[in-house]
Amino acid sequence: MSCMIDLDISHEYEGTIPCNYHPDFSAAGYQVIRELGRNLEGGRITYLAKEINSQKKVVIKEFCCANTTADWSGVKAYEREIQILQQLNHPRIPRYIDCFEKPGFFCLILEYKDAPSLGLKRRFNPQEIKKISLSILEILVYLQQQVSPIIHRDIKPDNILVDEHLNAYLVDFGLARLQNTKIDFSTLVAGTPGFMPPEEQCGHELTAASDLYSLGATLICLFTNTRSVDIGQLIDDNYRFNFQKLLPQISSQFRLWLKKMVEPNRKRRYANASVALQALEPIRVIGSRKKRDYLVAAMQPKKNIIILGLVTLAIILAVLAITLIVSQPGDAANSIEIQNFTNVEEPSRSN
Ligand SMILES: Nc1ncnc2c1ncn2[C@@H]1O[C@H](COP(=O)(O)OP(=O)(O)O)[C@@H](O)[C@H]1O
Ligand SMILES: [Mg+2]
């Protein structure tokens, strides 16, 4: 890493920072254009900047590790993001360019993707949402097919950029980790409430299905035009998304697909992004008003009960049939006995 440039960053994070306040990164060769986002709790500010020599736009993500309550986790997030991004080479994941450090501050330079985030208020129709879903799933397939598969752990509208052609870009690898590695204690439960899969909340092992839950939650936000911070309004007490009534326009097939993405039990979710992508590709998004569709959707939750009922009925019928077969020779014997009894009685009657 080409870090540790002797840079004079004189600003401090004291009190609230005025939005038009831009740090001077000229010693490192960058000039800030505007702010893209800030996370004061985590001590991070992200800027759009340009490389002074080439005038090329870049993103500078600044981690403040002094005067915050998140010092140590801030350093960890910074190191993790660099470590993961350096391994990746995908056209829709910003490339790692460089980094520089100064006591109390770390700065990460990333390729700029000219696309607004889904955190901004934008409306998409169901067909467009399907296209975005496929585009994000392709990135997840890439991450999951690495020699050491990567779990992003913070998929949500704010960390997904979508351009005018509906290509999605995935940013913010500050919580990402390699699957099968132990989560370090500082980030044990570190995702965003509402988007975090239940297994993460419970401290269970994360799998390739974990990011699918967060993606499903993100898509529900898009369909229902719900802001990330309001996602709790869509979740019931059993940690289930109560979205069926909110999405009247989509087909039952697509609704079932989405339902499987956000299954609280990860074993009932699609196993990984590749399976979810293949399942989604042929699905029509807009609901037809065919009765059959509604019937399939209505029957789906009761499928197990219906199967159980049919099995029980089959067992009862089998037991009845066996009873009838077994009882028939006995009946014949009884009738012979009655006949014999009648024969014995008859002579005495004639006397
Ligand atoms: N490479 C990028 N190109 C364009 N915009 C970006 C890029 N990286 C981040 N952003 C924008 O900056 C915001 C904050 O960046 P992010 O990495 O998510 O920081 P944080 O860790 O504070 O959430 C994102 O929501 C997105 O809008
Ligand atoms: Mg973010």
Side-chain angles (χ1 to χ4, degrees):
M1 287 192 299
S2 57
C3 299
M4 291 309 289
I5 291 170
D6 190 17
L7 185 71
D8 180 26
I9 302 177
S10 51
H11 63 276
E12 298 274 343
Y13 287 84
E14 278 171 3
T16 47
I17 309 161
C19 279
N20 56 1
Y21 177 86
H22 293 154
D24 180 7
F25 294 131
S26 56
Y30 299 101
Q31 186 188 337
V32 172
I33 299 171
R34 67 182 161 88
E35 195 178 300
L36 289 171
R38 63 169 61 199
N39 177 327
L40 285 184
E41 203 188 323
R44 298 186 294 274
I45 303 185
T46 307
Y47 299 99
L48 171 63
K50 62 181 174 195
E51 214 176 3
I52 295 168
N53 284 341
S54 65
Q55 295 289 299
K56 215 176 146 191
K57 284 182 182 165
V58 292
V59 165
I60 301 183
K61 195 163 165 181
E62 185 189 55
F63 296 71
C64 172
C65 298
N67 302 335
T68 73
T69 50
D71 290 8
W72 186 238
S73 59
V75 180
K76 286 273 172 202
Y78 169 74
E79 287 174 347
R80 210 169 20 242
E81 194 153 1
I82 292 176
Q83 190 206 351
I84 299 269
L85 287 176
Q86 278 181 324
Q87 300 175 30
L88 301 178
N89 181 16
H90 188 280
R92 287 184 282 110
I93 296 174
R95 257 182 329 104
Y96 164 79
I97 297 176
D98 202 355
C99 68
F100 52 84
E101 300 177 8
K102 183 81 182 164
F105 295 96
F106 301 87
C107 290
L108 184 58
I109 319 293
L110 301 167
E111 178 191 6
Y112 171 63
K113 296 292 187 188
D114 189 7
S117 100
L118 289 178
L120 300 173
K121 217 169 167 54
R122 294 158 80 183
R123 269 193 180 272
F124 297 99
N125 67 40
Q127 305 278 18
E128 290 171 332
I129 295 176
K130 177 181 171 184
K131 211 168 166 215
I132 294 168
S133 314
L134 291 170
S135 187
I136 304 167
L137 281 168
E138 282 165 8
I139 304 175
L140 292 185
V141 169
Y142 168 78
L143 293 176
Q144 294 177 1
Q145 283 178 351
Q146 295 301 296
V147 179
S148 300
I150 292 165
I151 305 179
H152 184 278
R153 290 180 68 210
D154 202 13
I155 292 186
K156 59 178 178 178
D158 315 74
N159 290 336
I160 295 167
L161 318 178
V162 172
D163 70 16
E164 55 191 315
H165 306 292
L166 303 175
N167 297 309
Y169 304 82
L170 187 57
V171 302
D172 198 354
F173 283 74
L175 286 180
R177 72 177 185 93
L178 306 178
Q179 201 177 328
N180 304 327
T181 54
K182 233 172 140 357
I183 304 181
D184 75 68
F185 194 70
S186 61
T187 73
L188 201 59
V189 179
T192 307
F195 296 93
M196 210 189 305
E199 62 266 25
E200 182 155 21
Q201 300 231 5
C202 303
H204 293 159
E205 191 199 349
L206 300 185
T207 66
S210 302
D211 277 342
L212 297 185
Y213 182 93
S214 315
L215 174 57
T218 300
L219 298 176
I220 292 169
C221 281
L222 291 190
F223 271 116
T224 57
N225 215 20
T226 304
R227 295 183 315 151
S228 305
V229 287
D230 296 328
I231 191 168
Q233 295 171 2
L234 304 176
I235 301 172
D236 67 19
D237 294 343
N238 299 320
Y239 217 86
R240 285 191 176 272
F241 277 94
N242 193 356
F243 62 97
Q244 306 251 8
K245 287 182 203 136
L246 294 167
L247 310 171
Q249 77 278 40
I250 64 170
S251 70
S252 55
Q253 282 174 307
F254 193 82
R255 191 173 303 155
L256 290 177
W257 179 85
L258 201 48
K259 206 161 174 257
K260 204 163 168 180
M261 292 286 281
V262 291
E263 261 294 339
N265 182 342
R266 70 192 148 161
K267 289 182 186 143
R268 294 209 196 115
R269 246 175 262 151
Y270 291 107
N272 56 50
S274 177
V275 178
L277 181 87
Q278 280 170 32
L280 175 60
E281 262 167 350
I283 289 178
R284 203 169 23 83
V285 202
I286 305 284
S288 77
R289 300 212 171 253
K290 278 186 199 157
K291 278 187 188 152
R292 197 181 134 273
D293 277 0
Y294 288 117
L295 201 64
V296 170
M299 299 241 319
Q300 195 65 21
K302 293 163 193 135
K303 207 170 78 185
N304 289 345
I305 299 171
I306 292 170
I307 290 171
L308 194 72
L310 286 175
V311 169
T312 314
L313 193 67
I315 291 170
I316 292 171
L317 285 175
V319 169
L320 273 175
I322 290 166
T323 316
L324 274 175
I325 291 162
V326 168
S327 67
Q328 266 177 9
D331 287 350
N334 281 345
S335 66
I336 290 164
E337 260 180 56
I338 291 165
Q339 257 183 6
N340 289 344
F341 180 77
T342 321
N343 290 342
V344 169
E345 290 290 314
E346 260 175 19
S348 65
R349 218 186 284 162
S350 63
N351 283 340

